[in-house]
Amino acid sequence: MLGEAPHSGLDPECGFLEQGFDSLTAVELRKLLTDATGLRLSSTLIFDYPTPAALAKQLRTALDPELPGVGPAAGDGAGATGAAEAVGDELIDDMDLAELLRLARDNS
C-alpha cells in the first residue's frame, strides 16, 4: 500500500480492505496475479476472497486442484507435483504476496 515500507508483509487473516486496499490497489493486485498465474480472475477478487489467506487458498486450488488438502482430490494426496508439493497449508499461510506469486509462477 502507498506509504508503507516496500517489503512490509500482509497479515494473512486480516481483510484486504482493513489493510488499506482500495479499488485501485485491488485492480493492481488482480493484474499482477493474472500476469503471474495466467488465470482469469474476477474484478471482485478481494471481495470474493477477502483475506490474503483465502485468496492464497483459492489460487492454490485453481493452479493445482490435485494438491493435498485442496480441490476434488483433497485428502488423498494424488497428483501433487512441482515446487508446491513441498508446500503445506502452514507454509502457504506464512507466505507474503511475492512468495505466493513466485510459487504460482513455478507451478504454472
Side-chain angles (χ1 to χ4, degrees), residues 61-100:
T61 301
L63 290 168
D64 192 350
E66 305 262 334
L67 283 173
V70 298
D76 69 7
T81 59
E85 181 175 359
V87 179
D89 289 337
E90 306 81 37
L91 294 177
I92 291 275
D93 291 344
D94 293 335
M95 290 181 170
D96 65 15
L97 181 58
E99 292 169 320
L100 289 169

Side-chain angles (χ1 to χ4, degrees), residues 8-49:
S8 64
L10 294 174
D11 179 345
E13 300 302 326
C14 186
F16 285 109
L17 298 176
E18 288 82 13
Q19 295 187 70
F21 277 68
D22 59 17
S23 59
L24 179 60
T25 51
V27 169
E28 291 173 2
L29 175 64
R30 180 176 156 248
K31 181 179 180 342
L32 285 170
L33 291 172
T34 297
D35 291 347
T37 65
L39 296 172
R40 184 170 185 181
L41 301 170
S42 168
S43 60
T44 58
L45 187 69
I46 69 167
F47 300 103
D48 298 338
Y49 308 100

